[in-house]
Amino acid sequence: VLPLEFLSKLISAQSVSPHDAHLQPLIVSYLKDNLKKHSLTKKVNLSYDLYSRNRTTNSHIILSPKDRTSDEHIGFIGHTDVVPADRKSWNSDPFLLSERQDKLFARGLVDMKGAIFCYLEALIRFLKSHLLQCNIHIFLTSDEEGDGLDGIEYLFQQLDLKNFSYCLIGEPTS
């Protein structure tokens, strides 16, 4: 899958909060496919767990060095859900990636499927040219645009997280 095709798949999923529309398993598959495609499976372990509560899907994805253990942890927090789209307010289908005047438009592109896409692409490029020396965690929820009770807060209650050096939140409104 080419990068913009993957972005189009993220955008086209009507993942209105709290529904994930199977985006988180798609993201895991995209990472797996790219690790394999770029012969990175010999250097990087990929593990993940899905945590569901009510209608919310949460994921904890970990990329770690294959040949060493590391006490360093870097996290990325994101969400796959969007608020409902008033289709009458859009010049195009909000769930189709469209381009006008060299700009991309779609529901969730800025908040925050586009940030997830950019993070994954940057991560893949980094892994192609650098040796992974820490553990990279990706935390995803489908309950950020809703009440959030079953989202990241719930996910973090399920995990024993320690020693995080950094955590990046690609949320443009935070």
Side-chain angles (χ1 to χ4, degrees):
V1 176
L2 296 173
L4 281 180
E5 289 176 14
F6 177 63
L7 178 59
S8 291
K9 284 183 180 184
L10 291 176
I11 293 299
S12 67
Q14 297 191 29
S15 55
V16 176
S17 188
H19 300 287
D20 178 61
H22 306 289
L23 282 180
Q24 292 172 42
L26 177 70
I27 289 166
V28 170
S29 292
Y30 187 71
L31 278 170
K32 278 183 181 179
D33 292 347
N34 274 280
L35 291 176
K36 188 175 180 180
K37 174 182 170 182
H38 299 294
S39 302
L40 297 168
T41 55
K42 297 174 186 172
K43 299 184 210 176
V44 179
N45 285 320
L46 171 72
S47 61
Y48 65 95
D49 288 303
L50 295 176
Y51 298 84
S52 296
R53 183 173 180 193
N54 296 322
R55 297 175 298 159
T56 298
T57 303
N58 298 303
S59 295
H60 179 209
I61 304 164
I62 306 171
L63 294 133
S64 57
K66 200 161 216 165
D67 60 350
R68 75 181 70 74
T69 58
S70 174
D71 291 332
E72 295 263 350
H73 301 271
I74 297 173
F76 171 80
I77 299 174
H79 64 90
T80 53
D81 60 324
V82 297
V83 295
D86 176 12
R87 292 178 186 259
K88 294 176 186 174
S89 299
W90 285 76
N91 294 330
S92 57
D93 184 336
F95 292 102
L96 289 177
L97 188 62
S98 62
E99 183 178 348
R100 292 190 300 276
Q101 298 175 344
D102 295 326
K103 294 179 184 169
L104 296 174
F105 294 86
R107 179 47 129 210
L109 186 60
V110 173
D111 184 16
M112 91 171 279
K113 294 176 183 181
I116 291 169
F117 168 77
C118 289
Y119 181 78
L120 295 174
E121 285 303 307
L123 180 58
I124 291 163
R125 289 179 187 195
F126 174 82
L127 293 173
K128 285 170 36 180
S129 60
H130 294 81
L131 187 62
L132 184 61
Q133 297 183 12
C134 66
N135 303 294
I136 297 176
H137 299 253
I138 302 171
F139 305 101
L140 298 172
T141 185
S142 67
D143 186 25
E144 191 275 342
E145 297 294 358
D147 60 23
L149 297 175
D150 298 320
I152 292 296
E153 182 178 345
Y154 169 75
L155 177 61
F156 281 13
Q157 290 169 0
Q158 308 309 304
L159 303 172
D160 182 26
L161 302 174
K162 297 175 186 161
N163 301 325
F164 268 75
S165 304
Y166 304 97
C167 193
L168 173 68
I169 302 173
E171 179 73 41
T173 56
S174 294

